[in-house]
Amino acid sequence: MTLHMKLKSSIVAVLMFGATGLAFTTQAANADAIDDIAKAGAINVGIFSDFPPFSSASADMSIKGYDIDVAQSIADQLKVKLNLVSVTGQNRIPYLTDKRVDLLMSVGYSKEPEQVIDFAAAYAPYYIAVIGPAALSVKGKEDLADKSIAVNRGTLEDTSLTEAAPASADIRRFDNYNSVIQAFISGQTQLMVVGNDVGAQVLARQEELKPEQKFQLLTSPSHIGLNKKEDRLKQAVNDAVAKMLADGKLDESSKAWLKTPLDPANLKD
């Protein structure tokens, strides 16, 4: 399972903090985050520091990626400095409710975290895609018939592929993503099924193979998380994302980091 999908399940553990944690969240939400951000002159944004292509260290050791582009645009919209805060799947919700960060990037929507946090606009596509060489014609699940396909065993990708593929498809299951990618690149399989975060790394590197996304099996976009009852901050975030969509900046980031044009349909849950 990719990091994106694991993050959804990790939030469930936060709900076990019980009444004390929820009471603190309620108290924290009474303050207006926009006023606090303006007073500080900076917005603290929780990101995964090693989550390419959404956020990772560049050659100069600064953190760059799709998430960083969007976080910077939000900071610019608020006319404040951007402070990036490294978080994990386990601590990021407490960081938010404890006001150590004002926003969280790369939050997949589900009902469990909605009990604790709020969700601003979907800003980043996350989907499971079938990837293959440009020379191979595959337009839909019916074209998977008689094709060999690499997938990570026991993941959501595996489940989605198994459900969609015709009986004659040759599904080859591997124990990790490196093995899936190697099987595809080396020609052991004609296709592979991965999340677009993993797929972007392959699309960027394999110029000779010319891999491309054939079609999607499942979509679940990333949202920006914030504390409940922060309506002004939520509106500011939504406005910043809408502006990036309108002026093409979000499409530019998608091409730069995800190696594919942004399809607005992929920002719908």
Side-chain angles (χ1 to χ4, degrees):
M1 185 177 296
T2 63
L3 175 59
H4 180 95
M5 300 311 297
K6 288 180 180 177
L7 297 177
K8 289 186 177 182
S9 60
S10 69
I11 293 172
V12 177
V14 176
L15 302 179
M16 301 303 292
F17 282 122
T20 301
L22 292 176
F24 183 87
T25 303
T26 301
Q27 291 174 359
N30 289 334
D32 189 292
I34 285 284
D35 291 339
D36 293 340
I37 291 166
K39 183 178 179 180
I43 184 168
N44 298 318
V45 179
I47 55 100
F48 298 108
S49 56
D50 187 18
F51 187 30
F54 294 98
S55 53
S56 60
S58 61
D60 63 4
M61 299 310 294
S62 63
I63 303 297
K64 295 181 180 178
Y66 188 103
D67 278 4
I68 312 309
D69 288 355
V70 176
Q72 186 63 62
S73 290
I74 294 169
D76 293 344
Q77 174 91 358
L78 295 173
K79 296 181 171 58
V80 296
K81 177 185 176 183
L82 172 63
N83 286 336
L84 298 174
V85 180
S86 181
V87 298
T88 68
Q90 289 71 42
N91 70 20
R92 65 178 185 160
I93 301 299
Y95 267 42
L96 180 63
T97 57
D98 196 31
K99 291 199 168 183
R100 297 174 69 174
V101 298
D102 303 297
L103 299 174
L104 295 173
M105 307 302 291
S106 288
V107 183
Y109 174 80
S110 66
K111 292 182 179 179
E112 289 87 359
E114 194 175 34
Q115 298 177 46
V116 179
I117 67 172
D118 199 0
F119 294 86
Y123 73 98
Y126 178 79
Y127 49 84
I128 294 171
V130 175
I131 292 177
L136 183 64
S137 178
V138 175
K139 297 180 180 179
K141 58 185 181 181
E142 63 279 355
D143 295 324
L144 299 178
D146 302 316
K147 303 290 193 306
S148 57
I149 313 160
V151 70
N152 195 353
R153 187 190 321 274
T155 61
L156 185 59
E157 292 98 316
D158 188 358
T159 303
S160 300
L161 174 61
T162 301
E163 182 178 334
S168 63
D170 179 14
I171 300 176
R172 302 183 188 178
R173 296 173 174 86
F174 297 86
D175 292 331
N176 55 63
Y177 288 106
N178 285 336
S179 297
V180 169
I181 292 169
Q182 187 57 39
F184 171 64
I185 292 174
S186 66
Q188 294 179 54
T189 65
Q190 297 166 285
L191 301 164
M192 71 174 183
V193 170
V194 293
N196 64 313
D197 51 348
V198 175
Q201 300 175 59
V202 178
L203 297 179
R205 293 198 304 258
Q206 298 300 317
E207 295 182 4
E208 183 175 337
L209 188 61
K210 291 184 169 55
E212 63 183 12
Q213 295 177 3
K214 299 299 186 180
F215 67 96
Q216 296 175 24
L217 293 174
L218 176 148
T219 183
S220 177
S222 292
H223 290 256
I224 297 166
L226 69 161
N227 280 313
K228 286 185 174 295
K229 299 183 180 180
E230 295 291 1
D231 295 338
R232 291 174 63 205
L233 178 57
K234 183 175 181 177
Q235 187 60 56
V237 170
N238 288 346
D239 288 346
V241 172
K243 184 175 185 296
M244 289 189 77
L245 271 170
D247 64 16
K249 294 290 181 60
L250 213 55
D251 183 56
E252 290 177 12
S253 290
S254 181
K255 290 175 181 175
W257 299 108
L258 305 181
K259 307 304 176 184
T260 186
L262 178 69
D263 182 354
N266 288 328
L267 299 182
K268 297 179 181 179
D269 286 294

PDB file of all heavy atoms in Angstrom, residues 1-16:
ATOM      1  N   MET A   1       0.836  -1.190   0.000  1.00  0.00           N
ATOM      2  CA  MET A   1       0.000   0.000   0.000  1.00  0.00           C
ATOM      3  C   MET A   1       0.874   1.244   0.000  1.00  0.00           C
ATOM      4  O   MET A   1       1.859   1.316   0.700  1.00  0.00           O
ATOM      5  CB  MET A   1      -0.890   0.004   1.244  1.00  0.00           C
ATOM      6  CG  MET A   1      -1.900   1.148   1.282  1.00  0.00           C
ATOM      7  SD  MET A   1      -2.976   1.054   2.737  1.00  0.00           S
ATOM      8  CE  MET A   1      -3.830  -0.464   2.423  1.00  0.00           C
ATOM      9  N   THR A   2       0.555   2.277  -0.833  1.00  0.00           N
ATOM     10  CA  THR A   2       1.371   3.470  -0.873  1.00  0.00           C
ATOM     11  C   THR A   2       1.185   4.276   0.394  1.00  0.00           C
ATOM     12  O   THR A   2       0.233   4.094   1.148  1.00  0.00           O
ATOM     13  CB  THR A   2       0.983   4.357  -2.069  1.00  0.00           C
ATOM     14  OG1 THR A   2      -0.362   4.785  -1.893  1.00  0.00           O
ATOM     15  CG2 THR A   2       1.142   3.621  -3.374  1.00  0.00           C
ATOM     16  N   LEU A   3       2.102   5.225   0.594  1.00  0.00           N
ATOM     17  CA  LEU A   3       2.036   6.060   1.794  1.00  0.00           C
ATOM     18  C   LEU A   3       0.712   6.784   1.873  1.00  0.00           C
ATOM     19  O   LEU A   3       0.111   6.896   2.937  1.00  0.00           O
ATOM     20  CB  LEU A   3       3.197   7.070   1.769  1.00  0.00           C
ATOM     21  CG  LEU A   3       3.236   8.103   2.876  1.00  0.00           C
ATOM     22  CD1 LEU A   3       3.315   7.425   4.236  1.00  0.00           C
ATOM     23  CD2 LEU A   3       4.416   9.040   2.678  1.00  0.00           C
ATOM     24  N   HIS A   4       0.220   7.267   0.729  1.00  0.00           N
ATOM     25  CA  HIS A   4      -1.037   8.014   0.730  1.00  0.00           C
ATOM     26  C   HIS A   4      -2.173   7.202   1.343  1.00  0.00           C
ATOM     27  O   HIS A   4      -2.935   7.703   2.157  1.00  0.00           O
ATOM     28  CB  HIS A   4      -1.392   8.396  -0.703  1.00  0.00           C
ATOM     29  CG  HIS A   4      -2.662   9.170  -0.838  1.00  0.00           C
ATOM     30  ND1 HIS A   4      -2.682  10.548  -0.894  1.00  0.00           N
ATOM     31  CD2 HIS A   4      -3.961   8.772  -0.911  1.00  0.00           C
ATOM     32  CE1 HIS A   4      -3.933  10.954  -1.017  1.00  0.00           C
ATOM     33  NE2 HIS A   4      -4.718   9.898  -1.041  1.00  0.00           N
ATOM     34  N   MET A   5      -2.283   5.948   0.983  1.00  0.00           N
ATOM     35  CA  MET A   5      -3.387   5.135   1.476  1.00  0.00           C
ATOM     36  C   MET A   5      -3.179   4.749   2.935  1.00  0.00           C
ATOM     37  O   MET A   5      -4.122   4.632   3.707  1.00  0.00           O
ATOM     38  CB  MET A   5      -3.548   3.883   0.612  1.00  0.00           C
ATOM     39  CG  MET A   5      -3.828   4.189  -0.862  1.00  0.00           C
ATOM     40  SD  MET A   5      -5.158   5.398  -1.111  1.00  0.00           S
ATOM     41  CE  MET A   5      -6.547   4.514  -0.400  1.00  0.00           C
ATOM     42  N   LYS A   6      -1.920   4.551   3.340  1.00  0.00           N
ATOM     43  CA  LYS A   6      -1.651   4.221   4.737  1.00  0.00           C
ATOM     44  C   LYS A   6      -2.046   5.366   5.658  1.00  0.00           C
ATOM     45  O   LYS A   6      -2.453   5.163   6.795  1.00  0.00           O
ATOM     46  CB  LYS A   6      -0.168   3.895   4.930  1.00  0.00           C
ATOM     47  CG  LYS A   6       0.266   2.562   4.328  1.00  0.00           C
ATOM     48  CD  LYS A   6       1.742   2.329   4.577  1.00  0.00           C
ATOM     49  CE  LYS A   6       2.187   1.001   3.990  1.00  0.00           C
ATOM     50  NZ  LYS A   6       3.639   0.800   4.173  1.00  0.00           N
ATOM     51  N   LEU A   7      -1.915   6.598   5.163  1.00  0.00           N
ATOM     52  CA  LEU A   7      -2.168   7.755   6.006  1.00  0.00           C
ATOM     53  C   LEU A   7      -3.623   7.816   6.448  1.00  0.00           C
ATOM     54  O   LEU A   7      -3.940   8.252   7.549  1.00  0.00           O
ATOM     55  CB  LEU A   7      -1.816   9.031   5.236  1.00  0.00           C
ATOM     56  CG  LEU A   7      -0.344   9.138   4.844  1.00  0.00           C
ATOM     57  CD1 LEU A   7      -0.096  10.387   4.019  1.00  0.00           C
ATOM     58  CD2 LEU A   7       0.529   9.126   6.071  1.00  0.00           C
ATOM     59  N   LYS A   8      -4.523   7.346   5.598  1.00  0.00           N
ATOM     60  CA  LYS A   8      -5.934   7.369   5.975  1.00  0.00           C
ATOM     61  C   LYS A   8      -6.186   6.501   7.197  1.00  0.00           C
ATOM     62  O   LYS A   8      -6.883   6.885   8.138  1.00  0.00           O
ATOM     63  CB  LYS A   8      -6.806   6.880   4.806  1.00  0.00           C
ATOM     64  CG  LYS A   8      -6.877   7.860   3.648  1.00  0.00           C
ATOM     65  CD  LYS A   8      -7.871   7.361   2.615  1.00  0.00           C
ATOM     66  CE  LYS A   8      -8.029   8.347   1.470  1.00  0.00           C
ATOM     67  NZ  LYS A   8      -9.010   7.909   0.484  1.00  0.00           N
ATOM     68  N   SER A   9      -5.597   5.319   7.206  1.00  0.00           N
ATOM     69  CA  SER A   9      -5.831   4.413   8.321  1.00  0.00           C
ATOM     70  C   SER A   9      -5.130   4.872   9.584  1.00  0.00           C
ATOM     71  O   SER A   9      -5.607   4.610  10.697  1.00  0.00           O
ATOM     72  CB  SER A   9      -5.375   3.003   7.957  1.00  0.00           C
ATOM     73  OG  SER A   9      -4.010   2.993   7.653  1.00  0.00           O
ATOM     74  N   SER A  10      -4.004   5.594   9.444  1.00  0.00           N
ATOM     75  CA  SER A  10      -3.269   6.017  10.643  1.00  0.00           C
ATOM     76  C   SER A  10      -4.059   7.018  11.459  1.00  0.00           C
ATOM     77  O   SER A  10      -3.874   7.127  12.670  1.00  0.00           O
ATOM     78  CB  SER A  10      -1.918   6.621  10.247  1.00  0.00           C
ATOM     79  OG  SER A  10      -2.093   7.847   9.594  1.00  0.00           O
ATOM     80  N   ILE A  11      -4.949   7.763  10.818  1.00  0.00           N
ATOM     81  CA  ILE A  11      -5.720   8.779  11.524  1.00  0.00           C
ATOM     82  C   ILE A  11      -6.680   8.155  12.521  1.00  0.00           C
ATOM     83  O   ILE A  11      -7.005   8.734  13.552  1.00  0.00           O
ATOM     84  CB  ILE A  11      -6.484   9.662  10.513  1.00  0.00           C
ATOM     85  CG1 ILE A  11      -5.459  10.469   9.700  1.00  0.00           C
ATOM     86  CG2 ILE A  11      -7.434  10.603  11.202  1.00  0.00           C
ATOM     87  CD1 ILE A  11      -6.049  11.227   8.549  1.00  0.00           C
ATOM     88  N   VAL A  12      -7.117   6.935  12.237  1.00  0.00           N
ATOM     89  CA  VAL A  12      -8.063   6.274  13.135  1.00  0.00           C
ATOM     90  C   VAL A  12      -7.504   6.174  14.545  1.00  0.00           C
ATOM     91  O   VAL A  12      -8.222   6.310  15.529  1.00  0.00           O
ATOM     92  CB  VAL A  12      -8.413   4.865  12.601  1.00  0.00           C
ATOM     93  CG1 VAL A  12      -9.338   4.159  13.573  1.00  0.00           C
ATOM     94  CG2 VAL A  12      -9.066   4.974  11.236  1.00  0.00           C
ATOM     95  N   ALA A  13      -6.184   5.966  14.638  1.00  0.00           N
ATOM     96  CA  ALA A  13      -5.563   5.837  15.958  1.00  0.00           C
ATOM     97  C   ALA A  13      -5.719   7.102  16.783  1.00  0.00           C
ATOM     98  O   ALA A  13      -5.802   7.059  18.008  1.00  0.00           O
ATOM     99  CB  ALA A  13      -4.081   5.494  15.814  1.00  0.00           C
ATOM    100  N   VAL A  14      -5.762   8.250  16.121  1.00  0.00           N
ATOM    101  CA  VAL A  14      -5.898   9.512  16.826  1.00  0.00           C
ATOM    102  C   VAL A  14      -7.231   9.579  17.571  1.00  0.00           C
ATOM    103  O   VAL A  14      -7.341  10.188  18.634  1.00  0.00           O
ATOM    104  CB  VAL A  14      -5.794  10.685  15.827  1.00  0.00           C
ATOM    105  CG1 VAL A  14      -6.022  12.018  16.523  1.00  0.00           C
ATOM    106  CG2 VAL A  14      -4.430  10.667  15.158  1.00  0.00           C
ATOM    107  N   LEU A  15      -8.248   8.939  17.027  1.00  0.00           N
ATOM    108  CA  LEU A  15      -9.570   8.984  17.649  1.00  0.00           C
ATOM    109  C   LEU A  15      -9.588   8.286  18.993  1.00  0.00           C
ATOM    110  O   LEU A  15     -10.511   8.475  19.797  1.00  0.00           O
ATOM    111  CB  LEU A  15     -10.606   8.332  16.714  1.00  0.00           C
ATOM    112  CG  LEU A  15     -10.707   8.970  15.325  1.00  0.00           C
ATOM    113  CD1 LEU A  15     -11.755   8.223  14.496  1.00  0.00           C
ATOM    114  CD2 LEU A  15     -11.042  10.432  15.407  1.00  0.00           C
ATOM    115  N   MET A  16      -8.554   7.488  19.283  1.00  0.00           N
ATOM    116  CA  MET A  16      -8.506   6.758  20.535  1.00  0.00           C
ATOM    117  C   MET A  16      -8.032   7.616  21.701  1.00  0.00           C
ATOM    118  O   MET A  16      -8.008   7.189  22.842  1.00  0.00           O
ATOM    119  CB  MET A  16      -7.560   5.547  20.388  1.00  0.00           C
ATOM    120  CG  MET A  16      -7.979   4.582  19.284  1.00  0.00           C
ATOM    121  SD  MET A  16      -9.656   3.951  19.481  1.00  0.00           S
ATOM    122  CE  MET A  16      -9.413   2.944  20.960  1.00  0.00           C
TER     123      MET A  16
END
